[in-house]
Amino acid sequence: MLKIIVLIAALGAVPFSARASQLPAYPFVHASGSGATYVRPDIGAIDFEIVANDTDPAAARAVVESRIAQIRTLAEGLGIPASDVEIRDVRKNIQKGSDTGPGTAVYELRSGAQIKVADLSRWATLVGPLIDMPNLDGFATSFDTTEREKVEADLLAQAMDAARRKALAMAKGAGMKLGAVTAVTNGDLKNLTRAMGLAPNDMRYSGSGSRAAEGRKGLLAIDIIKLAQPVDMIFRLK
């Protein structure tokens, strides 16, 4: 969808001087466009936490270290480089008044982890064992494409073409010709938007597709991702 707002104004004719300084000092047209596509991802990542609770902090630590070793062994067996397995520092919290008895301290140890997957044919064989492994929680997955730079360039070109077509139509409707581009941005022209009281774009660039798990089995799915690129352009009218 495109949102087009046409503004034909000469700065000298604008009565509100406080806002006029933000507007071009010539007749112009402002057009917003967007390009969007769905992309099949070829890389992904899974994030989760390793959690252990015990009245003995050493025992809880041993559980965490055991899970870390299992995770690394699993990834290594699938040919995932060690550099793509990130295990963050272990955090320790003390919980009192637990089910073990009044005043008994329970130590909770947590460590965040992320595994990057450069070959999604290995996704299910990695994620399946992880979601069945004890002491793992807080799963979330994300997907992306190694062709991001090319996709971004294509979407930007689409958005600019769409904005130009609409600007041409509006200029023709106003009995004027479309001149050179005097401003372009891949986001809102914020000063112009605020000056004229325009609503901001409701589309933003969306990067990698991601979601938290509603059910662990759902983590086995590889999500198609949507990439969208908005653009704002100002053309001189003549």
Side-chain angles (χ1 to χ4, degrees):
M1 293 293 294
L2 299 173
K3 296 189 304 178
I4 298 299
I5 302 164
V6 179
L7 304 169
I8 303 173
L11 185 60
V14 179
F16 37 89
S17 57
R19 296 188 291 176
S21 61
Q22 298 177 358
L23 301 178
Y26 47 78
F28 68 95
V29 60
H30 167 221
S32 299
S34 66
T37 189
Y38 289 91
V39 178
R40 184 176 296 278
D42 56 9
I43 55 176
I46 183 165
D47 291 83
F48 54 91
E49 283 195 312
I50 308 163
V51 186
N53 297 277
D54 203 289
T55 55
D56 181 359
R61 181 75 186 215
V63 170
V64 171
E65 295 296 341
S66 175
R67 297 292 173 260
I68 291 174
Q70 285 180 277
I71 291 164
R72 292 193 183 279
T73 299
L74 172 63
E76 183 181 359
L78 294 173
I80 296 174
S83 58
D84 287 343
V85 180
E86 180 185 358
I87 307 294
R88 303 179 185 95
D89 292 341
V90 177
R91 309 183 305 277
K92 181 171 69 175
N93 296 314
I94 301 176
Q95 301 175 340
K96 294 185 177 180
S98 66
D99 294 338
T100 58
T104 302
V106 173
Y107 295 87
E108 179 186 76
L109 274 68
R110 288 180 173 267
S111 176
Q114 182 188 76
I115 302 177
K116 297 177 182 177
V117 183
D119 179 1
L120 290 183
S121 68
R122 301 170 180 169
W123 184 259
T125 51
L126 170 71
V127 175
L130 285 176
I131 61 178
D132 291 333
M133 194 177 293
N135 305 104
L136 302 191
D137 200 5
F139 288 98
T141 62
S142 61
F143 300 96
D144 208 343
T145 172
T146 54
E147 296 294 315
R148 172 179 291 280
E149 186 173 343
K150 179 180 183 302
V151 174
E152 287 177 353
D154 290 345
L155 291 180
L156 187 58
Q158 290 176 26
M160 292 178 69
D161 286 345
R164 180 181 291 275
R165 288 195 303 271
K166 292 295 183 179
L168 278 167
M170 294 300 176
K172 182 178 180 180
M176 304 182 76
K177 293 183 178 180
L178 197 66
V181 176
T182 59
V184 59
T185 176
N186 61 351
D188 291 332
L189 290 173
K190 296 185 183 300
N191 289 341
L192 177 66
T193 300
R194 291 169 183 159
M196 301 303 295
L198 308 177
N201 283 342
D202 54 9
M203 287 192 78
R204 287 292 183 274
Y205 179 79
S206 58
S208 59
S210 63
R211 62 186 173 89
E214 294 180 359
R216 291 197 172 197
K217 294 301 181 184
L219 292 164
L220 295 170
I222 297 174
D223 296 332
I224 300 298
I225 57 178
K226 181 179 180 180
L227 298 178
Q229 177 67 65
V231 67
D232 271 343
M233 301 180 73
I234 290 179
F235 300 84
R236 184 186 293 270
L237 290 174
K238 55 185 182 180

